[in-house]
Amino acid sequence: MSMGRFVNSMDPTSGLEVIRDWNGVAQVVLRSPKGASARVSLCGGQVVSWRNDRGEELLFTSSKSVVFDVQATFKPPNAMRGGIQMCFPQFGYSGTLERHGFARNRIWSLDDEQPPLNHNDNGSKVSVDLILKPSEDDLKCWPHCFEFRLRASLSKDGDLSLISRIRNVNGKPFSFSFAYHTYLSVSDISEVRIEGLETLDYLDNLSHKERFTEQGDAITFESEVDRVYVSSPNVVAVIDHEKKHSFVIRKEGLPDVVVWNPWEKKSKTMVDLGDEEYKQMLCVDAAAVERAISLRPGEEWTGKLELSAVLSTNCSDHLDHPVSI
């Protein structure tokens, strides 16, 4: 799909607007009737903003993120640090590809086989459908043909949902790992806790992926954390005491939860993160990391994520709520 099809436009009846970022890459803005919004970039299919109905930004984005000018360099852009990144077909450095795979560093297209910008669920959600197919260069480093379809939706209450469908259109099976690399904005990392991962086993990336069992009643933070919680429940809560709200994370098809904060020492080595910005961010990723997902020719995998921001006093009601994405 030609990038020339995009112009700055808005349909006031749809809750959708197409704009361009400073590199000329299209972004789709989704707006709910109550005033919540989200922005999805065609650069990486990355969700770069999610705001509640009071205009408060709920996703963290580093003030030092670098986004390369696509037209000036003629190279794939880098995902900016923050938002929600699509990590496929690799998470981290677990394989031979670039860190977190190439999907987050490619230009996506609106999905021609779906209504490009549409309402669904009887008007209760506003959505956009994107698609990524491998380029010739991608096939040289990862020789598997796929179609990656992403639907991003915003509900009338401001909940953000992402549905990824990855189909094997290859003549042979392939395997991959996946994560919604999600940077949540928090008031102070030392005042945040995660509930729903108690007693689970996790792989500690700071100890060569050694396996441990979570001993605490909740996960709190006082140093660097980089863990993969395996066989996790489908609902997890991130409670921010100072902001007095919680993030409720619901997922399907994604057995793992990655928890990461670089803390002070590592932050100072990261060129695209401010020295003190680790205090305002927490990554909690719905993922499939421990065991690769395998698809035979013609098979399709689906992974779903829903994010809600609720009052902390109501958080316990959501932990037992089924996924309804």
Side-chain angles (χ1 to χ4, degrees):
M1 179 182 298
S2 170
M3 291 297 291
R5 92 174 248 176
F6 297 105
V7 294
N8 281 27
S9 62
M10 181 174 181
D11 179 352
T13 64
S14 72
L16 289 153
E17 181 182 8
V18 179
I19 63 175
R20 290 184 182 273
D21 67 15
W22 53 89
N23 285 323
V25 177
Q27 295 184 352
V28 181
V29 184
L30 295 78
R31 291 189 173 88
S32 76
K34 296 182 180 180
S37 67
R39 277 190 294 125
V40 184
S41 175
L42 268 68
C43 177
Q46 185 173 3
V47 181
V48 295
S49 176
W50 173 40
R51 293 179 181 269
N52 61 21
D53 55 11
R54 296 182 298 279
E56 298 169 335
E57 180 58 64
L58 302 173
L59 297 177
F60 169 85
T61 302
S62 172
S63 63
K64 298 180 70 175
S65 287
V66 177
V67 180
F68 291 98
D69 187 321
V70 181
Q71 296 180 351
T73 63
F74 297 101
K75 294 180 181 179
N78 282 4
M80 68 179 183
R81 185 170 296 282
I84 305 175
Q85 302 173 11
M86 306 300 129
C87 298
F88 168 85
Q90 174 181 303
F91 182 77
Y93 291 107
S94 58
T96 60
L97 301 175
E98 59 199 86
R99 183 169 61 96
H100 294 329
F102 51 73
R104 69 187 188 133
N105 293 327
R106 298 295 183 265
I107 297 296
W108 293 48
S109 302
L110 291 181
D111 192 349
D112 287 326
E113 297 183 17
Q114 299 284 345
L117 303 174
N118 66 85
H119 280 287
N120 62 3
D121 298 316
N122 298 318
S124 64
K125 291 183 179 180
V126 61
S127 304
V128 61
D129 293 289
L130 305 183
I131 187 169
L132 178 69
K133 298 180 182 181
S135 67
E136 290 186 7
D137 287 341
D138 295 335
L139 291 172
K140 290 177 183 177
C141 63
W142 199 69
H144 304 292
C145 288
F146 65 88
E147 292 177 346
F148 184 160
R149 286 185 162 87
L150 172 67
R151 169 167 290 188
S153 303
L154 192 67
S155 76
K156 62 182 180 180
D157 294 323
D159 297 339
L160 176 66
S161 63
L162 301 172
I163 301 177
S164 291
R165 292 178 294 140
I166 296 171
R167 176 175 289 275
N168 182 351
V169 294
N170 210 31
K172 58 183 179 180
F174 64 70
S175 299
F176 62 91
S177 56
F178 180 91
Y180 291 112
H181 193 22
T182 304
Y183 286 74
L184 300 174
S185 176
V186 299
S187 58
D188 185 336
I189 187 62
S190 63
E191 298 295 324
V192 171
R193 73 177 192 270
I194 302 176
E195 295 186 355
L197 302 177
E198 308 85 53
T199 74
L200 294 187
D201 284 358
Y202 64 87
L203 308 178
D204 192 339
N205 289 322
L206 302 180
S207 299
H208 306 288
K209 298 185 179 180
E210 187 175 351
R211 197 179 190 98
F212 297 92
T213 300
E214 181 59 52
Q215 302 294 328
D217 294 332
I219 300 171
T220 56
F221 300 88
E222 54 187 24
S223 61
E224 181 182 357
V225 172
D226 189 353
R227 301 172 182 173
V228 179
Y229 287 83
V230 300
S231 302
S232 61
N234 280 340
V235 185
V236 176
V238 178
I239 299 168
D240 191 327
H241 294 285
E242 187 171 325
K243 287 189 176 181
K244 297 182 180 179
H245 73 217
S246 300
F247 293 103
V248 178
I249 301 168
R250 299 187 178 92
K251 59 187 179 68
E252 283 184 3
L254 296 157
D256 306 324
V257 171
V258 180
V259 178
W260 178 67
N261 182 282
W263 216 253
E264 183 177 10
K265 183 177 179 180
K266 181 168 286 185
S267 293
K268 292 181 178 179
T269 68
M270 301 168 69
V271 296
D272 59 350
L273 186 69
D275 290 352
E276 300 293 316
E277 286 188 319
Y278 74 91
K279 297 177 181 178
Q280 276 73 56
M281 58 149 284
L282 173 62
C283 286
V284 183
D285 306 345
V289 176
E290 183 193 25
R291 297 176 182 172
I293 297 162
S294 296
L295 293 178
R296 294 190 293 251
E299 285 188 332
E300 183 175 276
W301 168 85
T302 300
K304 302 180 180 180
L305 170 68
E306 182 182 82
L307 298 177
S308 306
V310 303
L311 293 175
S312 294
T313 53
N314 299 330
C315 182
S316 59
D317 296 336
H318 291 263
L319 283 172
D320 298 322
H321 195 280
V323 178
S324 56
I325 302 175

